[in-house]
Amino acid sequence: MNTSALPPVGTPLPHESAALHVTGAATYCDDIRELAGTLHGAPGRSERAHARILAMDLEPVRQAPGVRAVITGADIPGVNDFSFTLKDDPLLAEKEVLYYGHPVFLVVADTHEQARKAARLAKITYEDLPALLTAEAAAAAHAEVLPPVEVNRGDAPAALAAAPHRLQGKTHLGGQEHFYLESNIAYAVPKEEDTIHVWSSTQHPSEVQHAVAHALGYSVNQVTLEARRLGGGFGGKESQPAQWACLAAVAAKLTGHPVKVRLDRDDDMALTGKRHDFHIEYDAGFDDQGRLLGLKVLLVSRCGYSPDLSGPVNDRAVFHVDNAYYLDQVAIRSLRGKTHTVSNTAFRGFGGPQGIFAIETVLEDIARYLGLDPLAVRRANFYGSTPEEGRNVTHYGMTVEDNVIAPLVAQLEKDCDYQARRQAIARFNRENAVFKRGLSLTPVKFGISFTATQFNQAGALVHVYSDGTVLANHGGIEMGQGLYTKIRQIVAQELGIPVDLVRLSATNTSKVPNTSATAASSGTDLNGKASQQAAAAIRERLTAFAAEQAGVAPAAVQFQNGRVTAGERTWTFQELVKAAYNARIKLWESGFYKTPKIHYDSKTMRGRPFYYFAYGAAASEVILDTRTGEYRVLRVDVLHDVGRSINPALDLGQIEGGFIQGMGWLTTEELWWRPDGQLMTHAPSTYKIPTAADLPPVFNIKLFDNANVEDSIHKSKAVGEPPLMLPFSVFFALREAVGATDPTGRKFIAMDAPATPETLLNAIRDLAR
Amino acid sequence: METPYRPIQFYYQGRIHRVEHAPVTRTLLQYLREDLTQTGTKEGCGEGDCGACTVVVGERVLDQDGREKLQLRALNSCIQLLPAMDGKALFTVEDVAKLLRGNGQLHPVQQALVDTHGSQCGFCTPGFIMSLWALYENYERCPNKETVLDALSGNLCRCTGYRPIVDSVAVAYQQPRAVWDQGPILAALREMAGAPALVYEGGGHRAYVPRNLAELAQLRLDHPEARLVAGSTDVGLWVTKQLRDLGDTLHLGQVAELKLIQVGDDSLDIGAGVSLTDAFACLTQEWPEWADLARRFASRPVKNAGTLGGNVANGSPIGDSMPALIALGARVVLQKGTARRELALEDFYLGYQKNALTPGEFLATIRLPRRHTQAGRLVFRAYKLSKRYEQDISAVCAAFALHLDPSGKILQARVAFGGMAATPKRAPATEGALAGQVWNAATAAAGAQALAQDYAPMSDVRARKEYRLAAAANLLQRFWQETGAPGQAPETPQSLRDFAPI
């Protein structure tokens, strides 16, 4: 489409790097032309899940071809830790290894291949120690990385005792590998006067900058972090890249050479954290309509060997146990299991999906128990839509002021012909023994903001050069979501110029400091506002200048389509800028934004952790072969709330991409460990993310007509994470299809996620017993 | 004595490249990224499973009218060893727009992917572009959706969810067809074909790339320790993942006789060097029942590089071609020097990763009796079970072939499974329960019962043993329901792919 005449904001412009992507010209960290003398690092890995290191013979490593240095924990000039707390995550384990794969040394060699080969030659003597490998095992052993958290409202035990119906259940929800296509990488180049420049594929440049400084014993102003684009992140490059950036930086300092650490895919999958798997137990009391009267939920997660981001991840799970439903008398307990596995981390949704899965399982079980349509049970539990209706305060004390779930679900129900199809499917299932269909409609309500309030700030720097071209920079990271494209639109809109006049430069801690992670779906909300503010300040100065030149009031000055008009006068943007430069007007500005209204007490878990909520719903239909557990998703309908979209094409991309990624998590993507703690699904040959053939043949996605009630950037809503939860409809449609094999229709279905063919066949066989 | 060595040579970016010092196991991707600093092609996994490294390789072939043409196929550069590139033309993402000699204009497949918003992080995009370009070059008109999905089966994307990428194909075909001059490339291919067969030395090892069967047989006798390499879709991983030193290598890819498919009156002979793409096309023509397995077997780039002989000789317990080949009575022709012998395929496997080849011997041909030569009516199915529909390794791979007389009596039963034992393995107890019986529900049930005597599978990353046994028995039921059950209307959907939403 010809988009040049449209205003920048609201137009489906292509990704700002699209032409570079398709020609191979987009530069990722590993594509930066290497400086002469560049060396390559590879980690030497533990081959025990939990053990004391008795002896380490690294001589064979040192003697291997091309090896320049072998670095152990003792060699690190600063702190041997890359965690935010600086105490739980050694860069290189020294006395004890805490998971299978735990890096114990770094080999630095002339080539990547030499380093990888040498890394396998160490002879390490271990004394095995007992290892806990699952969340349940950790809970039983009271092994926790952080203290338990409880959120209570009302008297759940009393409500349970008094309820007309009561149901207990449990389920298990597997973890997920991020499988960003670009594995973790960092390239560190030592510079003069003990400074260092590090390119890192990270969503959190400032945290990596700090970690590198600590590892080197530097102050933060000696370290520059830079990232132009990431080959995917999804949360996996929030805290995890620090380890590889620190190791590259340490090696660079110790050898005096530029050093690159690029993880081989198998190393990346074994040595970096994943989505937390959860063990979930519940006790629910409800009325004849399935409305919850009392609820107890236990969430036990596998955090791995250290806290990493497990605290906020599990907090967000607790916050999202309500999903779109009012929980009146409720008691939630969250255990953060410490296991001898890799330390789990952020992943799109950040615990929210696991919390939502818990309540959706509860409601599905209730519907089956009562013989009701699960959608009716869901609806009976929705938050009240108006203050008069009540039932609109979350279990953590936040009033839901922007609730659109009821009209949104009603619209989707109608658009996808839910009721008629549900009847037709029931008929199909009565008539077919081998194949069963399932249809499920599930809602999403997702809280937007970092729960750690201090991260809800952002900075930007906008330069207007005297030729009228614009360079914008901000603290956010481009990892495919189109953040740079949206910022470009926002800045162009503010200056009334076409987007081609605006370029984005690489995110760099020496330009905009103290950045927050590009995470929590907040990239555009935060950096967009900061960039808008910077551009607006420049525009104001240009407005005053133009008004003065034309002898009109500032209010009469207009910026549009690259032209500025003031009364009788009109300039091209470039002409006005040139004149303003000559008149010594400041043409660059920084911007800063902090999210208003939010507050929350992490001790009581009460407050308003979220600025607003994003909403959505999906209906999915599946077909299941009951002989083998194989299945196919046949049709998906999505209605999703992105507020007023800044770029509908990018938002659509986030919705459908998030859907397929979430669907993979719940279906084909299974993590599998050997009994000795080694992850065996450490490559795409064994870990199966969806392919194009898994795309539902009918996939209808619509944006819900809704403006953000809060003053967000152009009234838009964050879109990165919420769609990840839409494919719960796929999982529960599969559960419906499994349930259709039971002629009573009422038996409890034991079915964990992911729903592999094996899981589904087991559930079918279980129902037949 | 004159040195027999010469450089590896292949055409790339307007000239013939000559590689002289790279180790014999240097991969094409390493060479591109590290030696030529052509970094458009990405490494995503280093094992041919994600497609970020996809390139297109051109070879000179003759079409059915005997005319010379350029065959273009996508494959994974991360597991291609450089000697296998000898005599070929290489195309990477940097070339696609340049071929058109436009002034900075994108190729239609590139422009379409921009227009449909088909890239997000962009890291997988170069690989997709190469698969899309190969598809575009191979289809003058817009292919159907199944063909598009098949062409993209080797490319993973974690951002977009694929819909815009799939949609981009139709958009590309709406633009004027992009044509380019293949003349210089064909000329370069002809020129390289004039060079003697490649013997290459690099990194202390040799790579032999013979051109005909006699040369191969002699080299195999002279260097029985040299590692045979066909498509390197498995051996490539020994290099990139196990970091193994392969020693000297003996490449089968240019042996003309091994690339032949001969359809005789009684038998179908598939040369051991025939690509999986071509082998499956032939097998599916004779036995349409192969189609679903062929579709799900690996990915398009792996099928373009890998060979049926490689799959068979590799002998993995989860190799997907063997159960069906065994069920159809395939035999292998083994050659040593000029001597040949023939074995039933099931007898080729002696144990886990052990086969009947003796030093100096190699697999030359896979021979199948043609469909019409067998007594009775053949009912045959091959089923694959895996977590993902395509490009996954089987948890269970099953093949059933029954020959029925007009009364429905089973004259002969051949049943073989992958994923159920240390090798692809026949099921004698099951076959015994089926043979001589009338093909009916009771017989199917008896056969399913007997499977537990034939197999004691293990639990691993792909499935637990209980699932393998239960699903195997149910697949025999499925076979009965699809081929024998009365009242089956022909239009009744039998496969998940046949269903539409309600």
Side-chain angles (χ1 to χ4, degrees):
Chain A
M1 79 191 275
N2 181 5
T3 51
S4 56
L6 298 168
V9 164
T11 302
L13 295 171
H15 194 285
E16 44 83 31
S17 291
L20 302 181
H21 293 157
V22 299
T23 53
T27 304
Y28 301 81
C29 187
D30 196 37
D31 304 334
I32 296 167
R33 196 59 71 93
E34 286 168 14
L35 295 167
T38 293
L39 303 177
H40 299 264
R45 304 160 41 161
S46 151
E47 290 180 339
R48 296 289 190 280
H50 187 202
R52 200 167 288 129
I53 298 175
L54 298 180
M56 200 152 63
D57 177 8
L58 298 175
E59 215 35 47
V61 185
R62 288 198 183 89
Q63 297 306 321
V67 170
R68 299 293 194 98
V70 181
I71 296 167
T72 66
D75 303 321
I76 290 164
V79 186
N80 180 15
D81 199 287
F82 68 96
S83 67
F84 192 61
T85 54
L86 292 180
K87 61 177 186 189
D88 302 303
D89 288 299
L91 287 165
L92 298 170
E94 292 193 66
K95 297 189 177 80
E96 191 181 348
V97 294
L98 296 175
Y99 74 95
Y100 201 113
H102 210 164
V104 286
F105 62 92
L106 184 83
V107 196
V108 186
D110 288 333
T111 71
H112 183 247
E113 195 180 9
Q114 286 169 336
R116 286 181 63 214
K117 281 185 172 166
R120 299 189 183 189
L121 301 177
K123 295 192 172 69
I124 302 175
T125 316
Y126 301 97
E127 179 194 341
D128 282 317
L129 298 170
L132 298 167
L133 298 174
T134 65
E136 295 93 316
H142 300 291
E144 291 159 28
V145 292
L146 291 165
V149 164
E150 292 191 359
V151 171
N152 295 291
R153 172 161 66 183
D155 187 346
L160 285 168
H165 304 285
R166 191 160 170 184
L167 202 55
Q168 282 119 15
K170 61 183 175 186
T171 189
H172 188 92
L173 174 60
Q176 186 178 25
E177 159 62 34
H178 302 83
F179 210 84
Y180 29 69
L181 263 287
E182 178 204 36
S183 62
N184 267 284
I185 179 167
Y187 184 36
V189 178
K191 302 266 185 180
E192 64 180 25
E193 209 192 348
D194 277 346
T195 60
I196 194 162
H197 192 105
V198 182
W199 285 270
S200 162
S201 183
T202 177
Q203 296 171 238
H204 202 345
S206 283
E207 187 174 309
V208 175
Q209 179 195 22
H210 280 253
V212 167
H214 290 302
L216 296 180
Y218 285 3
S219 54
V220 176
N221 68 358
Q222 288 170 274
V223 181
T224 299
L225 242 289
E226 181 174 335
R228 171 59 182 86
R229 63 173 62 79
L230 276 50
F234 316 114
K237 294 176 180 171
E238 187 170 345
S239 62
Q240 309 288 295
Q243 185 167 17
W244 321 111
C246 289
L247 288 173
V250 165
K253 181 173 168 68
L254 295 180
T255 62
H257 284 254
V259 175
K260 185 188 281 185
V261 173
R262 170 170 69 87
L263 293 188
D264 175 69
R265 174 62 59 184
D266 296 55
D267 281 348
D268 189 292
M269 291 179 76
L271 308 188
T272 68
K274 317 188 181 309
R275 188 189 294 287
H276 295 64
D277 50 332
F278 269 57
H279 171 79
I280 298 163
E281 295 180 15
Y282 73 85
D283 187 349
F286 46 94
D287 66 13
D288 292 344
Q289 281 70 51
R291 181 177 276 197
L292 285 163
L293 302 172
L295 179 67
K296 276 172 72 172
V297 175
L298 173 69
L299 305 173
V300 187
S301 70
R302 166 158 52 182
C303 298
Y305 74 88
S306 74
D308 185 77
L309 293 164
S310 291
V313 165
N314 284 275
D315 288 352
R316 187 170 275 268
V318 169
F319 288 137
H320 282 78
V321 165
D322 62 341
N323 191 16
Y325 315 110
Y326 177 68
L327 308 178
D328 192 25
Q329 311 284 314
V330 62
I332 302 165
R333 184 171 163 79
S334 159
L335 300 181
R336 291 97 200 263
K338 178 173 181 168
T339 52
H340 297 100
T341 50
V342 68
S343 192
N344 283 332
T345 193
F347 195 146
R348 199 177 200 170
F350 204 72
Q354 293 92 323
I356 291 178
F357 184 77
I359 191 67
E360 295 299 338
T361 300
V362 172
L363 297 183
E364 284 281 334
D365 286 348
I366 289 173
R368 194 163 171 85
Y369 173 87
L370 293 173
L372 296 174
D373 175 358
L375 180 57
V377 172
R378 289 189 164 92
R379 200 169 252 142
N381 285 286
F382 280 164
Y383 275 110
S385 292
T386 61
E388 300 72 50
E389 202 183 324
R391 294 173 56 83
N392 65 344
V393 178
T394 67
H395 53 296
Y396 46 91
M398 174 172 171
T399 303
V400 184
E401 293 169 345
D402 56 9
N403 182 9
V404 293
I405 201 64
L408 188 151
V409 164
Q411 186 182 331
L412 178 66
E413 180 186 18
K414 185 163 166 287
D415 288 354
C416 80
D417 209 11
Y418 174 84
Q419 296 299 346
R421 284 167 66 206
R422 196 173 153 80
Q423 283 178 22
I425 284 172
R427 194 162 52 244
F428 174 93
N429 286 342
R430 280 194 299 276
E431 291 166 359
N432 287 273
V434 169
F435 293 101
K436 299 288 183 186
R437 289 180 195 260
L439 171 66
S440 174
L441 193 161
T442 59
V444 179
K445 164 182 134 292
F446 193 79
I448 303 299
S449 294
F450 287 97
T451 54
T453 306
Q454 72 273 19
F455 292 148
N456 296 288
Q457 60 171 307
L461 188 60
V462 175
H463 296 171
V464 176
Y465 292 100
S466 57
D467 69 347
T469 61
V470 180
L471 190 72
N473 191 276
H474 56 86
I477 288 288
E478 174 58 45
M479 49 187 155
Q481 81 279 44
L483 173 62
Y484 278 24
T485 310
K486 285 185 174 177
I487 300 289
R488 192 185 192 198
Q489 292 175 263
I490 289 163
V491 170
Q493 179 86 13
E494 208 58 30
L495 296 173
I497 56 178
V499 290
D500 349 345
L501 286 181
V502 184
R503 287 187 78 84
L504 273 285
S505 62
T507 306
N508 184 314
T509 55
S510 70
K511 286 199 168 178
V512 173
N514 308 329
T515 60
S516 295
T518 301
S521 309
S522 69
T524 305
D525 281 16
L526 299 177
N527 298 290
K529 276 281 193 184
S531 303
Q532 182 188 42
Q533 193 197 70
I538 298 167
R539 173 178 160 145
E540 266 175 47
R541 286 198 284 271
L542 287 172
T543 300
F545 174 68
E548 186 189 306
Q549 294 290 305
V552 300
V557 179
Q558 291 202 329
F559 290 70
Q560 212 174 4
N561 293 334
R563 300 193 76 78
V564 183
T565 53
E568 302 293 299
R569 293 285 302 271
T570 164
W571 300 264
T572 64
F573 182 75
Q574 290 91 331
E575 288 165 352
L576 182 69
V577 162
K578 181 76 183 161
Y581 168 79
N582 290 335
R584 296 190 295 173
I585 307 281
K586 184 185 174 194
L587 291 171
W588 55 275
E589 194 52 82
S590 65
F592 180 78
Y593 175 74
K594 57 181 177 181
T595 312
K597 294 189 178 179
I598 50 176
H599 59 89
Y600 130 76
D601 180 343
S602 61
K603 289 201 179 61
T604 60
M605 298 283 284
R606 292 186 71 79
R608 176 177 180 160
F610 307 120
Y611 188 30
Y612 62 88
F613 295 100
Y615 298 86
S620 297
E621 180 186 336
V622 301
I623 182 92
L624 172 70
D625 184 334
T626 61
R627 299 166 297 200
T628 56
E630 296 168 288
Y631 58 85
R632 191 169 188 227
V633 181
L634 295 176
R635 172 174 170 181
V636 172
D637 295 81
V638 169
L639 185 59
H640 196 79
D641 164 30
V642 299
R644 290 273 172 266
S645 178
I646 291 172
N647 184 322
L650 295 180
D651 288 347
L652 176 65
Q654 287 299 297
I655 295 167
E656 55 193 2
F659 189 98
I660 298 298
Q661 191 176 82
M663 185 179 84
W665 170 43
L666 297 162
T667 56
T668 55
E669 296 180 33
E670 184 177 28
L671 293 164
W672 197 81
W673 285 264
R674 247 179 15 191
D676 66 356
Q678 187 180 7
L679 177 70
M680 298 309 287
T681 45
H682 52 70
S685 53
T686 44
Y687 185 78
K688 311 312 285 187
I689 73 167
T691 67
D694 298 313
L695 181 63
V698 180
F699 198 18
N700 302 315
I701 300 180
K702 279 194 208 161
L703 301 182
F704 184 62
D705 185 18
N706 191 30
N708 199 333
V709 301
E710 300 296 345
D711 178 27
S712 61
I713 181 76
H714 291 290
K715 292 278 177 188
S716 66
K717 287 193 177 186
V719 68
E721 291 164 295
L724 190 281
M725 285 144 276
L726 296 168
F728 283 137
S729 54
V730 170
F731 181 85
F732 290 111
L734 288 168
R735 235 180 82 128
E736 288 269 306
V738 166
T741 63
D742 160 33
T744 75
R746 304 292 280 272
K747 275 197 208 167
F748 182 82
I749 303 169
M751 186 176 128
D752 295 340
T756 61
E758 177 170 359
T759 300
L760 293 167
L761 188 64
N762 284 345
I764 292 165
R765 283 156 59 91
D766 191 55
L767 274 181
R769 275 188 200 111
Chain B
M1 198 175 98
E2 193 191 344
T3 164
Y5 306 126
R6 68 164 173 86
I8 299 163
Q9 47 184 12
F10 59 89
Y11 177 91
Y12 180 49
Q13 294 185 339
R15 66 182 178 89
I16 294 171
H17 284 245
R18 293 186 170 80
V19 183
E20 289 194 67
H21 302 294
V24 294
T25 52
R26 189 141 183 89
T27 67
L28 178 56
L29 181 64
Q30 287 171 325
Y31 183 73
L32 277 170
R33 290 187 58 84
E34 296 176 12
D35 298 347
L36 300 183
T37 57
Q38 290 296 294
T39 54
T41 310
K42 310 298 181 197
E43 177 174 325
C45 70
E47 61 175 27
D49 259 291
C50 80
C53 69
T54 306
V55 298
V56 170
V57 167
E59 291 183 77
R60 202 169 52 107
V61 296
L62 301 178
D63 68 12
Q64 57 260 53
D65 304 321
R67 279 184 308 234
E68 179 187 73
K69 69 168 224 186
L70 184 63
Q71 174 186 277
L72 295 170
R73 284 182 171 176
L75 44 83
N76 300 112
S77 64
C78 71
I79 48 172
Q80 276 298 304
L81 308 182
L82 277 181
M85 287 302 297
D86 190 59
K88 297 177 182 171
L90 169 67
F91 303 87
T92 64
V93 68
E94 289 90 348
D95 305 330
V96 174
K98 286 182 194 154
L99 286 173
L100 306 178
R101 299 210 179 82
N103 25 10
Q105 260 203 333
L106 297 176
H107 186 279
V109 299
Q110 294 172 316
Q111 187 60 51
L113 204 67
V114 172
D115 293 344
T116 58
H117 307 277
S119 70
Q120 287 186 25
C121 88
F123 199 85
C124 70
T125 310
F128 271 99
I129 289 293
M130 296 317 286
S131 289
L132 291 166
W133 182 63
L135 179 72
Y136 186 87
E137 288 294 329
N138 283 300
Y139 289 85
E140 209 142 308
R141 295 212 186 87
C142 186
N144 65 25
K145 191 171 170 189
E146 260 314 301
T147 305
V148 173
L149 292 178
D150 179 71
L152 299 179
S153 60
N155 293 91
L156 298 180
C157 169
R158 193 55 152 167
C159 297
T160 64
Y162 302 101
R163 194 271 314 155
I165 303 173
V166 174
D167 286 357
S168 78
V169 175
V171 175
Y173 279 91
Q174 284 159 15
Q175 297 180 39
R177 178 111 187 127
V179 289
W180 52 290
D181 182 11
Q182 300 186 339
I185 290 153
L186 285 164
L189 290 173
R190 277 193 300 271
E191 183 192 329
M192 291 187 289
L198 176 65
V199 182
Y200 173 80
E201 191 176 50
H205 294 303
R206 292 176 194 174
Y208 305 96
V209 189
R211 296 253 176 88
N212 61 49
L213 198 58
E215 285 173 16
L216 167 65
Q218 191 58 48
L219 284 164
R220 183 71 169 147
L221 280 179
D222 294 346
H223 309 284
E225 75 300 333
R227 173 64 59 189
L228 287 176
V229 180
S232 72
T233 56
D234 190 44
V235 169
L237 277 71
W238 303 1
V239 174
T240 62
K241 292 297 169 182
Q242 299 173 13
L243 305 177
R244 267 163 72 176
D245 183 345
L246 296 187
D248 296 342
T249 52
L250 175 50
H251 292 256
L252 306 173
Q254 292 196 23
V255 178
E257 295 90 331
L258 294 191
K259 299 178 92 162
L260 291 178
I261 295 175
Q262 287 170 301
V263 184
D265 289 341
D266 297 329
S267 72
L268 195 61
D269 282 9
I270 300 177
V274 172
S275 73
L276 288 159
T277 291
D278 295 339
F280 283 139
C282 160
L283 289 167
T284 305
Q285 195 159 12
E286 183 83 1
W287 295 278
E289 298 94 328
W290 272 91
D292 189 55
L293 181 70
R295 169 68 180 86
R296 297 183 62 184
F297 187 113
S299 66
R300 182 53 52 201
V302 165
K303 280 182 275 202
N304 287 339
T307 62
L308 188 65
N311 194 240
V312 165
N314 186 293
S316 163
I318 41 178
D320 274 341
S321 73
M322 292 87 99
L325 290 172
I326 290 171
L328 292 174
R331 300 174 70 76
V332 285
V333 180
L334 311 180
Q335 182 169 343
K336 182 175 181 175
T338 53
R340 289 191 154 211
R341 62 180 177 132
E342 218 180 282
L343 279 180
L345 176 55
E346 59 269 33
D347 297 334
F348 181 67
Y349 302 111
L350 307 178
Y352 180 64
Q353 295 191 338
K354 269 200 218 139
N355 63 38
L357 286 175
T358 58
E361 200 172 31
F362 61 91
L363 170 64
T365 305
I366 294 130
R367 175 167 292 163
L368 290 114
R370 293 201 58 192
R371 185 167 198 143
H372 66 263
T373 62
Q374 305 284 297
R377 178 172 70 91
L378 173 72
V379 289
F380 164 56
R381 288 290 187 279
Y383 301 121
K384 176 179 169 113
L385 290 184
S386 55
K387 290 178 197 170
R388 190 169 71 190
Y389 174 74
E390 66 182 9
Q391 200 208 351
D392 196 357
I393 294 166
S394 294
V396 176
C397 185
F400 307 101
L402 304 180
H403 297 270
L404 306 178
D405 78 4
S407 73
K409 199 172 123 195
I410 300 167
L411 300 172
Q412 193 199 131
R414 292 177 69 93
V415 174
F417 274 84
M420 298 287 282
T423 64
K425 187 174 169 293
R426 274 181 84 171
T430 309
E431 291 176 358
L434 299 175
Q437 306 300 311
V438 173
W439 184 221
N440 59 28
T443 303
Q449 277 280 316
L451 274 168
Q453 296 167 47
D454 287 317
Y455 299 106
M458 59 180 212
S459 294
D460 69 7
V461 63
R462 281 173 275 277
R464 285 51 159 186
K465 60 186 177 202
E466 294 82 3
Y467 175 73
R468 288 191 154 112
L469 270 176
N474 287 356
L475 285 176
L476 184 46
Q477 287 295 335
R478 177 180 175 186
F479 177 51
W480 154 248
Q481 286 161 351
E482 288 183 9
T483 62
Q488 274 282 21
E491 70 273 14
T492 306
Q494 298 191 332
S495 153
L496 290 168
R497 302 306 272 191
D498 301 335
F499 283 94
I502 211 132

